[in-house]
Amino acid sequence: MDGSGNSLLAGPEGRKKRVCYYYDSEVGNYYYGQGHPMKPHRIRMAHSLLVHYGLHQKMDVFAPTKAKERDLCLFHADDYVRFLKTVTPETQHEQIRQLKRFNVGEDCPVFDGLFPFCQTYAGGSLGGAVRLNQKMADIAINWAGGLHHAKKCEASGFCYVNDIVLAILELLKFHERVLYIDIDIHHGDGVEEAFYTTDRVMTVSFHKFGDYFPGTGDIRDVGFEKGKYYSLNVPLNDGIDDESYQCLFKPIISKVMEVFQPGAVVLQCGADSLSGDRLGCFNLSVKGHAECVRFMRSFNVPLLLVGGGGYTMRNVARCWCYETGVAVGVELEDKMPYNEYYEYFGPDYTLHVAPSNMENQNSLQYLQTIRERLLENLSRLQHVPSIQFSERPPDTEILDEDEEEMDVKGKIRIWDGEFYDSESEHAENLRSNHDLDANNVAALRRHTPELTEGQTTKRFKCNEEKGSNVSRNSHGIRA
Ligand code: V1D
Ligand code: CA
């Protein structure tokens, strides 16, 4: 036990975990624009709160290395990435056709620093995946990531690049099977779509379904061809509470773990499924939401935790701070420590807030019916798919950064204006950690062609530029 609360290390879930955490002190400054609900500032609030609970002392804290253009192109189309890199708020009106083609506009506006923002959040998830692959951590956290709607050639639902797909591709270099779980209130469509035809990635999304963005995620959508039954969708109605949520989450995920036996798990922890969210309509408490993290932690499989949606900032900060505590094995005191954003948490200044008395429109009958249907689909997967690597793609190298950068990055910025001095165990902070070279790209494409290029159905096709003479073969690959 220490200042942060009770240690959970002795309990049944208590094996101590090595946790690494990615945070960029600039991330809170990116601004989607006036009236836009997505506010990267919430990541800075969560960070400030968890630092004041002392959680940074229990993790390896890293400033993410920005993902390079070529890293992003492992999933995204080259011309889409180039567009994200070059478009500016000042010049966007000269590129109306491109804006439309890449779905950049109201939900996904062009704002100052858009590309470095994408590089930063993708860099955190990639860095976490590399560190898990190297067995230097059991759990990696990147609350700035989790932007699950981004498609190969299209922005969507506040997401521009899909850091989750990129991180899963990285994990697939070392793990035959990767499980993706999505507890954001919205359907994890971008990740599902990327892996819809493979049996190497199972995707499971819990979401509000019915007249709700993005409109996909029907229980009948189960995957295609080799990927049939490797996509799972759990459609939910308004007002779901902790008990109802867990009566689906635990049996479904237990069965998934049993039949799929993933080598690594990515958990998208979108906090818009919390009670009182500005865009959401569920009724989960922070503890109910965090129960998913606690449960996944208990399987002792490498775990990447990423953020996602969440539009009532004070509750997002509460949730991701508490979940960081769960990851490191500490139960945090309800009384909040003073922090930079203390005034946001009044009048109670507590970590936990009671859910509302809204009606739970998920009847017991409904919950039982969908649970049975999903477990039935899982029972069709009798055996884990056996995938043989003839040759493993090259390991991602950790390169030393140049000395100039080391001077700055040797100390990790904990919040604006103050540095936290890395301890000796954090010496690796000085290193660049996800540099993918051209050989890696080629090797990855060789080994996972269906994941990076071969999306064959119309559903996955990019919007072609009108009048473009770029032709594609039957795999949607440019000829
Ligand atoms: F209310 C708004 C104000 C300004 C700009 C956008 C919005 C807004 C609210 N809800 N946009 C939405 C959703 N978009 C639509 C559009 C209408 N259509 C034609 C589409 O309903 C998008 C909601 C995105 C949710 C994102 C997410 O929470 O899942 C997320 N996960 O990771 C990052 C974000
Ligand atoms: Ca979801």
Side-chain angles (χ1 to χ4, degrees):
M1 169 129 173
D2 56 31
S4 52
N6 297 312
S7 172
L8 291 175
L9 301 180
E13 67 213 8
R15 218 183 75 185
K16 194 173 181 338
K17 308 280 191 219
R18 295 162 304 157
V19 179
C20 67
Y21 167 85
Y22 288 80
Y23 176 73
D24 185 297
S25 60
E26 290 297 314
V27 78
N29 293 330
Y30 294 105
Y31 185 58
Y32 276 61
Q34 207 178 2
H36 199 290
M38 176 57 107
K39 298 186 189 304
H41 175 57
R42 71 212 168 115
I43 298 152
R44 178 162 54 196
M45 288 174 64
H47 178 76
S48 168
L49 192 53
L50 71 87
V51 164
H52 282 86
Y53 269 110
L55 295 178
H56 60 298
Q57 289 159 344
K58 297 173 185 295
M59 312 186 280
D60 288 331
V61 178
F62 296 95
T65 302
K66 284 187 170 56
K68 295 184 178 62
E69 193 175 342
R70 66 171 183 264
D71 301 336
L72 304 177
C73 290
L74 280 171
F75 172 56
H76 294 285
D78 298 1
D79 56 351
Y80 173 54
V81 173
R82 193 119 277 274
F83 171 78
L84 291 176
K85 189 173 181 178
T86 52
V87 71
T88 69
E90 293 74 33
T91 59
Q92 57 175 319
H93 62 276
E94 296 159 15
Q95 292 170 281
I96 304 292
R97 278 209 339 231
Q98 299 282 78
L99 290 170
K100 205 170 159 208
R101 176 176 168 216
F102 296 130
N103 195 33
V104 171
E106 198 187 350
D107 272 358
C108 304
V110 178
F111 57 84
D112 278 328
L114 170 60
F115 194 63
F117 172 66
C118 293
Q119 291 177 290
T120 301
Y121 76 75
S125 298
L126 272 171
V130 167
R131 210 159 170 86
L132 292 174
N133 280 346
Q134 291 170 333
K135 299 195 185 339
M136 292 171 92
D138 305 306
I139 301 178
I141 301 176
N142 176 30
W143 295 131
L147 277 74
H148 57 171
H149 297 304
K151 312 287 173 5
K152 178 175 173 175
C153 345
E154 206 175 291
S156 173
F158 318 160
C159 309
Y160 302 85
V161 298
N162 201 316
D163 58 295
I164 304 168
V165 171
L166 294 168
I168 292 174
L169 290 173
E170 184 66 32
L171 291 167
L172 285 169
K173 290 183 187 172
F174 283 72
H175 302 282
E176 289 194 352
R177 290 173 302 282
V178 174
L179 170 62
Y180 172 67
I181 306 170
D182 186 314
I183 60 171
D184 190 290
I185 194 172
H186 299 94
H187 177 228
D189 58 345
V191 186
E192 179 185 277
E193 181 175 304
F195 300 112
Y196 207 64
T197 58
T198 181
D199 55 7
R200 291 192 59 197
V201 179
M202 179 171 271
T203 62
V204 187
S205 176
F206 297 78
H207 46 266
K208 152 89 180 164
F209 186 69
D211 197 18
Y212 202 65
F213 185 87
T216 46
D218 193 297
I219 195 167
R220 291 168 298 188
D221 296 340
V222 295
F224 187 60
E225 290 182 340
K226 254 190 141 183
K228 192 163 182 189
Y229 301 124
Y230 290 88
S231 293
L232 229 55
N233 282 297
V234 189
L236 302 167
N237 301 316
D238 291 19
I240 192 159
D241 59 17
D242 295 349
E243 197 189 346
S244 300
Y245 202 87
Q246 289 309 326
C247 92
L248 291 173
F249 189 88
K250 285 185 176 163
I252 290 168
I253 297 300
S254 298
K255 189 76 186 163
V256 166
M257 293 300 285
E258 181 193 322
V259 300
F260 188 60
Q261 294 182 22
V265 177
V266 180
L267 177 59
Q268 196 267 19
C269 300
D272 47 9
S273 41
L274 291 175
S275 183
D277 186 80
R278 181 177 156 194
L279 296 189
C281 53
F282 284 178
N283 199 19
L284 298 184
S285 71
V286 165
K287 280 189 181 151
H289 194 273
E291 192 58 28
C292 301
V293 176
R294 203 183 295 278
F295 192 62
M296 296 322 300
R297 183 186 189 272
S298 72
F299 287 96
N300 299 321
V301 171
L303 178 61
L304 174 60
L305 300 177
V306 292
Y311 306 98
T312 300
M313 288 198 289
R314 59 187 180 278
N315 292 343
V316 178
R318 285 177 160 113
C319 182
W320 292 345
C321 170
Y322 184 72
E323 289 175 350
T324 306
V326 170
V328 301
V330 166
E331 180 66 34
L332 299 178
E333 269 178 16
D334 193 30
K335 184 177 176 309
M336 215 173 250
Y338 186 76
N339 62 84
E340 281 86 347
Y341 305 106
Y342 199 62
E343 69 276 12
Y344 284 75
F345 302 104
D348 294 335
Y349 307 101
T350 53
L351 194 52
H352 299 284
V353 282
S356 80
N357 60 359
M358 75 188 289
E359 185 196 351
N360 182 354
Q361 292 180 24
N362 301 269
S363 65
L364 259 181
Q365 180 64 57
Y366 177 76
L367 295 169
Q368 274 167 7
T369 304
I370 59 169
R371 185 173 61 196
E372 289 322 309
R373 275 183 72 174
L374 292 162
L375 291 174
E376 196 182 304
N377 283 355
L378 283 167
S379 70
R380 294 168 204 247
L381 301 176
Q382 288 298 328
H383 306 287
V384 294
S386 56
I387 293 123
Q388 299 293 319
F389 273 133
S390 50
E391 171 203 338
R392 199 181 70 196
D395 296 1
T396 298
E397 279 178 41
I398 292 191
L399 302 173
D400 286 338
E401 288 188 348
D402 58 47
E403 278 177 23
E404 200 177 67
E405 266 187 286
M406 279 166 76
D407 284 347
V408 180
K409 289 193 178 166
K411 292 178 178 205
I412 299 298
R413 236 173 207 275
I414 294 298
W415 58 83
D416 285 347
E418 195 166 333
F419 283 107
Y420 159 66
D421 232 327
S422 315
E423 290 165 22
S424 56
E425 69 196 67
H426 300 142
E428 297 84 1
N429 295 356
L430 308 181
R431 295 171 181 173
S432 164
N433 41 36
H434 65 259
D435 207 41
L436 293 165
D437 61 23
N439 292 337
N440 292 37
V441 175
L444 184 67
R445 287 206 163 130
R446 245 196 345 269
H447 287 277
T448 53
E450 82 281 16
L451 307 178
T452 54
E453 300 260 29
Q455 296 170 336
T456 53
T457 64
K458 202 170 172 219
R459 179 185 154 123
F460 303 141
K461 266 188 90 179
C462 297
N463 296 323
E464 295 290 3
E465 195 167 14
K466 277 210 180 69
S468 154
N469 55 9
V470 176
S471 60
R472 287 174 193 268
N473 65 17
S474 61
H475 294 280
I477 302 169
R478 276 170 296 196

